[in-house]
Amino acid sequence: MAKATAEKQPARILIVGGGYVGMYTALHLQRKLRADEAEILVLSPDPYMTYQPFLPEAAAGSISPRHVVVPLRRTLDKCQVLVGEAVGIDHAKRTATITTLATREQGTGPIDIHYDELVIAPGSVSRTLPVPGLAEHGIGFKTVEEAIGLRNHVLEQLDIASSTRDPEVRAAALTFVFVGGGYAGVEALAELEDMARYAARYYHNLEPNDLKFLLVEATGRILPEVGEEMGVYAVRELRGRNIDVRLETRLESCENRVAVLSDGSRHPTRTLVWTAGVKPHPVLAATDLPRNERGRLRCRPDLRIEEVDHAWSAGDAAAVPDLTAEREGVECAPNAQHAVRQAKTLAGNVIAALHGRPLTEYRHKYVGSVASLGLHKGVAHVYGRKFKGYPAWFLHRAYHLSRVPTFNRKARVLAEWTLAGLFKREIVSLGSLENPRAEFELAAGTGRQPEAS
């Protein structure tokens, strides 16, 4: 008599994070694995992936906010997408403790889900310092909501400056302080400065030169990724646009809307943008997985997490050895270029592990960097060659257009760039979008009614 055999259940692959690594890993897995081989579950706090290099252009109005994000459910149609967050992971038991919109609404508390393979890629969060007043007055620049909120805020400051007779309020409204000289800070500053000075011409009592932009950087250079020579050029370009660049300077305080710098200067301002670095996501500390001194997960070259099996990581959350470096002990930089390529290797290795095949080590030599300094301006260091001005700006757009996921998004972004070249900038502030119920609450609370005829 033949012995009945139980059907083998598909392996459950849990991907924590819907950013570069999470989305691209899931995309590769769904293309290569059948439904009877694996069940792919993507856990993300948002139902979309944000293409962060486009945030400065979204803030400046060159790209619509909805085209900066990639909807996960539409892109990952063969995966289960769960909007929620991991609050703890017990890999010894292969269990993740998560909260979702439903658990918060129901008040039932976190729930546990089981997995067979874990890909943990929650990315990073803004790294803040205990600067007095920063929590109350600082503005971040890491999400599409922050980018659009900052655009609305900047335009609102022009409205305030235009309509006040108080010189102190006017000066503070027209002073914009950006802290951090990396990609996020420099590109956000450059794009918003372009947009704000353009918008100023439509105010009867404002001139573009009335606006004051200040970049504060604690080290002696900005944009270290593009090399020292291009970094020096970027400083010269920004200062040539009347932007005050303070190197080797720190923000000491921003209480009472006054930015106090380590050089002793004081700058009353209503706009302080904080882009001074990132740190690993807090969920990493709520796991039993090994981390390094910086809080990132220690990984092998094949992207498995050290000391454990069936757990993988890449991107900002992972400390991955750089096998292409000239000396030992160097780790891959936590940037988008590595994250996208690591995701492909990671997905291939997860499939290989499921099928019992050998794993591949991640190797990718860093090819260079590109950065925008506003419309038609930029710097680039690619394959050893240096570019500046319009060629660098064109390379920046071409590269990121090739990298943004899905043909749908590429076509929409290209169409918006084309239209932006034919028509004038949009300079409308839609700050009320951030509190859409304000008008209704006012009407309901005050009993405001239409006047009787």
Side-chain angles (χ1 to χ4, degrees):
M1 186 168 112
K3 189 180 290 185
T5 58
E7 285 189 17
K8 183 179 178 181
Q9 294 295 318
R12 172 175 282 184
I13 303 172
L14 174 62
I15 300 176
V16 177
Y20 290 104
V21 174
M23 195 205 73
Y24 277 107
T25 298
L27 193 61
H28 292 304
L29 289 174
Q30 75 173 13
R31 289 171 177 170
K32 299 294 181 64
L33 292 173
R34 302 188 309 272
D36 62 344
E37 290 181 295
E39 175 189 5
I40 306 166
L41 178 60
V42 180
L43 178 67
S44 172
D46 299 303
Y48 53 80
M49 180 269 242
T50 302
Y51 192 73
Q52 291 184 342
F54 281 160
L55 289 183
E57 293 205 51
S62 299
I63 301 177
S64 171
R66 67 184 185 277
H67 298 156
V68 176
V69 299
V70 181
L72 293 178
R73 287 192 173 88
R74 179 174 178 178
T75 306
L76 306 176
D77 56 331
K78 296 180 182 178
C79 302
Q80 297 180 34
V81 176
L82 185 61
V83 177
E85 294 185 87
V87 295
I89 294 175
D90 187 344
H91 189 64
K93 297 180 180 179
R94 307 277 183 90
T95 301
T97 303
I98 70 171
T99 61
T100 66
L101 296 176
T103 61
R104 294 168 195 159
E105 184 70 21
Q106 297 166 0
T108 56
I111 59 174
D112 293 336
I113 59 174
H114 177 77
Y115 60 83
D116 298 296
E117 299 284 341
L118 172 68
V119 177
I120 180 163
S124 57
V125 297
S126 295
R127 175 173 59 87
T128 59
L129 299 176
V131 176
L134 179 60
E136 293 78 14
H137 303 300
I139 303 172
F141 196 78
K142 193 167 174 55
T143 67
V144 67
E145 293 86 356
E146 288 175 327
I148 303 310
L150 180 57
R151 169 187 170 80
N152 291 333
H153 174 83
V154 168
L155 292 173
E156 184 180 82
Q157 300 316 300
L158 301 187
D159 290 331
I160 291 172
S162 176
S163 57
T164 184
R165 294 184 179 181
D166 187 326
E168 292 184 358
V169 172
R170 177 186 169 97
L174 295 180
T175 300
F176 306 92
V177 179
F178 288 70
V179 182
Y183 276 128
V186 173
E187 292 193 337
L189 166 64
E191 291 284 353
L192 283 165
E193 185 264 350
D194 253 359
M195 183 270 292
R197 293 201 198 276
Y198 175 85
R201 69 180 68 180
Y202 293 99
Y203 291 80
H204 73 282
N205 57 351
L206 292 183
E207 295 292 335
N209 288 334
D210 293 340
L211 280 62
K212 177 183 177 182
F213 283 83
L214 176 64
L215 177 63
V216 180
E217 169 54 39
T219 67
R221 57 194 289 195
I222 66 172
L223 296 174
E225 299 87 352
V226 298
E228 185 173 357
E229 182 182 339
M230 291 294 98
V232 170
Y233 167 81
V235 170
R236 190 166 63 246
E237 163 70 21
L238 294 176
R239 285 175 174 166
R241 288 157 57 179
N242 202 27
I243 296 173
D244 188 353
V245 180
R246 304 281 181 104
L247 302 178
E248 297 183 340
T249 307
R250 299 180 307 278
L251 176 69
E252 299 285 355
S253 167
C254 56
E255 292 181 300
N256 301 319
R257 294 189 180 275
V258 178
V260 180
L261 307 184
S262 59
D263 61 8
S265 61
R266 298 169 59 87
H267 305 271
T269 178
R270 295 177 56 85
T271 308
L272 190 139
V273 184
W274 181 269
T275 61
V278 296
K279 63 182 180 181
H281 196 284
V283 71
L284 302 186
T287 73
D288 55 353
L289 301 170
R291 296 178 295 144
N292 66 6
E293 65 281 358
R294 295 185 178 181
R296 299 166 70 192
L297 297 171
R298 300 203 312 268
C299 290
R300 305 177 177 102
D302 57 18
L303 304 178
R304 289 178 297 164
I305 298 175
E306 289 185 0
E307 303 174 14
V308 298
D309 294 321
H310 308 289
W312 315 75
S313 188
D316 289 358
V320 179
D322 187 350
L323 301 182
T324 66
E326 296 179 356
R327 54 188 177 87
E328 293 185 3
V330 177
E331 297 173 356
C332 294
N335 56 40
Q337 186 178 143
H338 280 301
V340 172
R341 289 166 173 81
Q342 286 172 355
K344 185 175 181 180
T345 301
L346 192 158
N349 282 343
V350 170
I351 295 170
L354 292 177
H355 293 163
R357 298 197 301 265
L359 306 183
T360 302
E361 293 183 337
Y362 172 73
R363 292 176 181 271
H364 172 70
K365 192 169 183 61
Y366 191 60
V367 299
S369 300
V370 292
S372 170
L373 297 179
L375 190 63
H376 300 159
K377 298 174 284 288
V379 290
H381 190 182
V382 182
Y383 290 112
R385 299 189 63 186
K386 299 167 185 175
F387 303 87
K388 57 189 178 182
Y390 186 89
W393 173 84
F394 181 81
L395 278 175
H396 175 271
R397 282 200 161 183
Y399 173 77
H400 286 301
L401 184 65
S402 71
R403 294 291 93 191
V404 69
T406 76
F407 176 79
N408 180 295
R409 282 295 172 274
K410 295 180 197 296
R412 290 177 182 271
V413 169
L414 183 59
E416 287 200 306
W417 281 343
T418 302
L419 291 173
L422 299 175
F423 301 99
K424 294 181 180 180
R425 284 179 183 263
E426 292 289 350
I427 57 168
V428 177
S429 169
L430 297 176
S432 59
L433 290 176
E434 296 163 39
N435 189 11
R437 295 190 67 246
E439 178 65 22
F440 181 79
E441 289 173 350
L442 178 63
T446 62
R448 180 163 62 174
Q449 301 290 339
E451 293 184 5
S453 56

